[in-house]
Each structure stands twice: as C-alpha cells, then as structure tokens.
Amino acid sequence: MLNKTKFALVGVVAAAAMASTGAQAATQTASAEVDIVAAVQLAQNDGLDFGVVASSGTAGTVVLPTASNTRVCSAGVTCVGTALRGRFTVSGATTGYVVAINVPATTTLASGGNNMVLTLAPSMTSFTSAGAPQIFFVGGSLAVGANQAAGTYTGSYNVSADYQ
C-alpha cells in the first residue's frame, strides 16, 4: 500500500508542477484599426471607334494610338473619315494611393457571323492619385482580313480601376 501512496504522491506533485506554469502566463490587450478610403469611380467618356474602313483583297491593320485620334492604316485597307480613341475618367481616388487600370489584351468585334480581332492598348496601367480626376485613353490595333465582309462590327471589353 505504501508503494501505491508513493506513486499517487509523485503523480500529484507532477500535476502541480505542470499547473504552476500557468501562473507565469501574461495577458496583453491589443489594438486593431482600419482606414476606409473612398471607392474609385470609373466612367467611359468616349467609346473606341475606328471609323469607316474599306477592305481589299489584301489583309491589313488599322492602328488607333492612345496619344491622338489619328489612325494609321496599312496597305490593304483604306480609312475614311474620323476615328475616336476610347476615353475614360477615374475619380474619387484618395490622394497618395496607387490606382491600377486593367484593360484586356484583346476583344472580338463581330458583324453577323464575321469577326475581327482588336488588340487593346491603354495609355496607362496605373497612377498615383493626386485627388483630382485622372483621364486615360484606350486605343488599339484592328486586324482587317482580306475581303473582310461589309457590316458594322461591334464588341465590348471590360475596363477596371481599383486601388493597387
């Protein structure tokens, strides 16, 4: 019986030693914080319009740069009239924060069952907000096939602006 008592006493001492380490624990109250910034607003002011293009028996391209509304037409296509680069305004961005501009690389323009690929190019991919509205442009390069079927070709693409 004495051995059982010794083992019980050793068990109680070991348990007490384990429990006593909790007496050395510390607790600290921590703080938490968040700053909410105004949501970025994005508006399309002008749609991307390559104007009137005449195709021929040779494929060609029409390039509308972001720097101006002046198209560059390669051999195989004839450009008539005026064109208009896409124009967008970002507003509401908080001063000092970087805003990313996202435009897809390509989109498809379709007329009935006929398609053309439009490669898109934004004038900027990001900017640091100074608090005032920021304008950017979208241009691109339109691949016109040989004897491209006549029609009004339309398409769409998603543009986004958000804090980086």
Side-chain angles (χ1 to χ4, degrees):
M1 177 85 129
L2 189 54
N3 276 344
K4 287 184 181 180
T5 306
K6 283 183 183 178
F7 284 126
L9 182 59
V10 170
V12 169
V13 170
M18 292 173 137
S20 68
T21 59
Q24 298 172 6
T27 301
Q28 174 65 48
T29 301
S31 62
E33 181 178 328
V34 64
D35 291 329
I36 304 295
V37 294
V40 174
Q41 304 296 317
L42 177 63
Q44 179 181 9
N45 308 107
D46 297 316
L48 181 57
D49 185 352
F50 280 82
V52 178
V53 177
S55 69
S56 69
T58 304
T61 58
V62 180
V63 176
L64 183 54
T66 59
S68 74
N69 289 320
T70 304
R71 292 174 293 195
V72 177
C73 300
S74 73
V77 294
T78 303
C79 293
V80 181
T82 60
L84 188 62
R85 61 197 163 151
R87 184 169 61 101
F88 297 83
T89 300
V90 178
S91 59
T94 301
T95 301
Y97 285 86
V98 175
V99 176
I101 306 296
N102 293 300
V103 175
T106 63
T107 191
T108 300
L109 303 183
S111 176
N114 302 302
N115 296 323
M116 288 190 286
V117 174
L118 170 58
T119 301
L120 298 164
S123 62
M124 66 175 61
T125 56
S126 68
F127 66 94
T128 301
S129 176
Q134 179 72 46
I135 294 174
F136 69 94
F137 299 93
V138 175
S141 177
L142 183 63
V144 180
N147 299 312
Q148 186 76 44
T152 300
Y153 288 75
T154 60
S156 63
Y157 57 99
N158 293 322
V159 178
S160 66
D162 203 355
Y163 293 109
Q164 213 172 26

